[in-house]
Amino acid sequence: MGMVKFYKGGDMPLELHKVRVVQKLHLVPVERRLDAMKEAGFNTFRLGTKDVYLDMLTDSGTNAMSDNQLAAMMHADDAYAGSQSFERLQKAVEDVLGKKYLLPVHQGRAAENVICRTFVKPGNVIPMNYHFTTVLAHVTENGGKIEELLHDHAFQLKSDHPFKGNMDIDKLEKCIQENGVENIPFIRMEASTNLIGGQPFSLANLMDVRRIADKYGIMLVLDASLIGENAYLIKQREENWKENSMGEILKMMTGLADLVYFSARKLSSSRGGGICTNQKALYAKMEAMIPLYEGFLTYGGISVREIEAMAVGLRETLDESMICQSPSYIKYLVEELEKRGIPMVTPPGVLGAHVNAMEFCKHIPQEEYPAGALAAAFYICSGIRGMERGTMSSVRDEEGKEILADVELLRLAVPRRVFTLSQINYVIDRMTWLWDNRHLIGGLKFTYEPPVLRFFMGGLEPTSDWPSKLMDKFRKDFGDSL
Ligand SMILES: *Cc1c(COP(=O)(O)O)cnc(C)c1O
């Protein structure tokens, strides 16, 4: 599906869609890219898109919409209460995710706010395969803490383990026994574990987690923001589920959870989110919070047009030829870069390709942000914007010393059906050039460091004049080419 064989061997990702609306992009010359990077304080978050050729910052709210989604947006029903658009979304959630009761919220973290306010009490512990930034914030905000229970091998960046997002069941049982059932309001499983490189869990593992949840009578919550891609990789990689349809696998996954929530920015459209369940009592516990924080129960802070797009987008996740598009591009990108010796997180996961910056920039100390430096250098030589996921995105301790991150990654997000294969080939070519010239990349230091979430708006400068030297080498090798 979406992958065909090359005549002389190897896999070629093949688009099963055509482009009918386009947006103009700008590839500005390398001199402008260097200036833009300086103006942005060597922080890719601060670049303006007029200077960005391929925006690979994130997959959030950036997937391409289908003709059917855009058409559905035209017949949205903007009644404040009792909207037919909401009824269509409810029906789609029931058909695709198998849950009858739906609470709409404006995006994924709003679902986490409602769930954590309802169930997390001070001193509680939430076992999870791995955290996402927003869920960690909401658990902590309500006085709880998290326990991350991935297998140790999940942190090996180069691996051929097909399910690095699996929860370690022994660690889970130990965690429950040590903390006491009464202190654990729920277990959280995240589909396609975002922060470790978009790595899936297996259905067998989710069944094991369910068995433990039943044994101790603990609720199981599934973060389904990236469930479509996780289901697709189960079909690809898990022997027992090869013959099943996407719809069957999705229902099997959600059927094991008491409560399912999602960010529709990733799952189905460009805005919105939801919480769903088949247990009326769980629904009733959270219901009152929707009008308080989000909006009336039939729109939850989402525009009705987006609700229509969510409903159609949810049904489209059943289409394997649609859902496979981003993972098959990522697989191609990761494998081609690996062939050229570039250190990548493997196996290829979902949402983007992840470059191991600690390996790429071995000569840059972690205190000088190798992943941030790699992101800046890659922008200068390509016009492509990626995201630093390393120490720059971390924090300092009370004494002001850097808390060094476990991994230093450059993430190149591949939103669904947005890029063409020649653009992906351009990514490969420019990354290969940078790999050959990696000795020219130097470190960064902060000039403006916000006290919280410094990676968003912080400003940095190079520790030497390496960016100009990189530009000069680019000019030497590429002549007057962009
Ligand atoms: C993005 C994301 C969220 C948060 O969703 P928002 O819509 O950005 O608030 C939660 N969980 C996962 C796994 C995500 O990828």
Side-chain angles (χ1 to χ4, degrees), residues 198-241:
Q199 300 290 325
F201 57 67
S202 67
L203 248 175
N205 183 248
L206 190 61
M207 287 174 182
D208 282 343
V209 174
R210 177 78 248 177
R211 187 170 45 75
I212 302 295
D214 283 339
K215 179 171 165 190
Y216 293 94
I218 302 174
M219 176 164 85
L220 178 55
V221 175
L222 175 64
D223 179 343
S225 304
L226 295 165
I227 195 174
E229 282 80 2
N230 197 127
Y232 171 72
L233 291 182
I234 286 174
K235 192 167 159 59
Q236 293 285 305
R237 299 178 184 175
E238 196 168 353
E239 201 50 48
N240 287 346
W241 299 93

Side-chain angles (χ1 to χ4, degrees), residues 369-399:
Y369 316 117
L374 180 57
F378 190 51
Y379 170 75
I380 293 169
C381 77
S382 68
I384 298 165
R385 166 160 81 166
M387 190 195 287
E388 189 269 4
R389 294 276 83 165
T391 299
M392 233 170 96
S393 303
S394 178
V395 290
R396 291 180 188 272
D397 65 16
E398 292 102 66
E399 284 156 25

Side-chain angles (χ1 to χ4, degrees), residues 51-62:
D51 292 315
V52 171
Y53 173 50
L54 301 181
D55 196 359
M56 304 183 91
L57 189 74
T58 175
D59 61 322
S60 179
T62 55

Side-chain angles (χ1 to χ4, degrees), residues 334-351:
V334 169
E335 287 174 357
E336 290 299 314
L337 290 172
E338 269 218 299
K339 271 187 216 163
R340 290 157 177 80
I342 299 165
M344 303 298 296
V345 175
T346 58
V350 310
L351 84 100

Side-chain angles (χ1 to χ4, degrees), residues 22-61:
V22 297
Q23 182 179 5
K24 192 167 163 50
L25 292 174
H26 304 277
L27 178 54
V28 296
V30 65
E31 290 78 11
R32 172 61 204 150
R33 299 198 294 257
L34 177 60
D35 284 343
M37 200 73 257
K38 287 179 184 163
E39 288 163 22
F42 287 83
N43 179 353
T44 56
F45 271 98
R46 289 178 32 175
L47 286 167
T49 52
K50 64 179 190 313
D51 292 315
V52 171
Y53 173 50
L54 301 181
D55 196 359
M56 304 183 91
L57 189 74
T58 175
D59 61 322
S60 179

